[in-house]
Amino acid sequence: NLEKYDKQWIHFGFLLGYNTTDFRITKADDFYRSDSVLTLEADGKAGFNLGIIANLHLTNNLDLRFVPDLAFSQRDLIYKMTTKIGATDVVIKKVESTFLEFPLELKFKSNRVNNYRFYVTGGFKYMIDLVSQAKVENQEELVKLDDRDFGYIIGVGMDLYLPLFKFAPEIKMFQGIPNVLATDPAVYTTSISALRSRIFTFSLTFE
């Protein structure tokens, strides 16, 4: 409950997070003329984050934050396809990722009222997929993604000043900018023009 806690020029903490990772799909130009892939959808799955927080005090209502974390996630691509005998079949391709994330954010805070305050965040995040299979050869059954991604993040949260630490529930959205689909001749890839990451994260931070 220290009134001057936020006036420290730098302080540290950690976060625990729950994420849902998804794709924004841009289908290939000839997708609807294809006689093999009928429909394609993305299904986001749950994952979790572990990270540390470095917070730099700029003004009473503005902080600069560096929040590197490790994120475990999965996204499914669901294909409805025709078989050789003319029937239809559903094929699910699991795309698993372990991201090393490097977000740099500005935190805009309201004035503190008693032991709480609201805030919004915005910034940029660069990610490395530690288990990317983009360079794996002779695996036509895989949907391969590049091992690097980046994009913008926005979020909202509330700081709660407790007797022993500052606690904050926080919701963020990440939108990837580049196409992360790796070039591959497999039918599961040629039906897609671009895949862009979209991640929603609910975090609990402790500082």
Side-chain angles (χ1 to χ4, degrees), residues 16 31 42-43 47 63 65 69 76 78 83 90 105 124 141 150 156 159 161 163 178 198 207:
L16 304 174
F31 179 86
D43 183 20
D63 292 341
R65 290 161 69 84
D69 69 2
D76 289 352
I78 304 173
T83 65
V90 175
E105 309 168 9
F124 176 86
E141 298 301 312
F150 61 87
V156 296
D159 285 329
Y161 297 84
R198 180 168 51 193
E207 299 176 47

Side-chain angles (χ1 to χ4, degrees), residues 149-166:
D149 197 2
F150 61 87
Y152 63 87
I153 46 178
I154 56 174
V156 296
M158 181 173 64
D159 285 329
L160 301 172
Y161 297 84
L162 304 181
L164 299 179
F165 56 87
K166 183 172 72 173

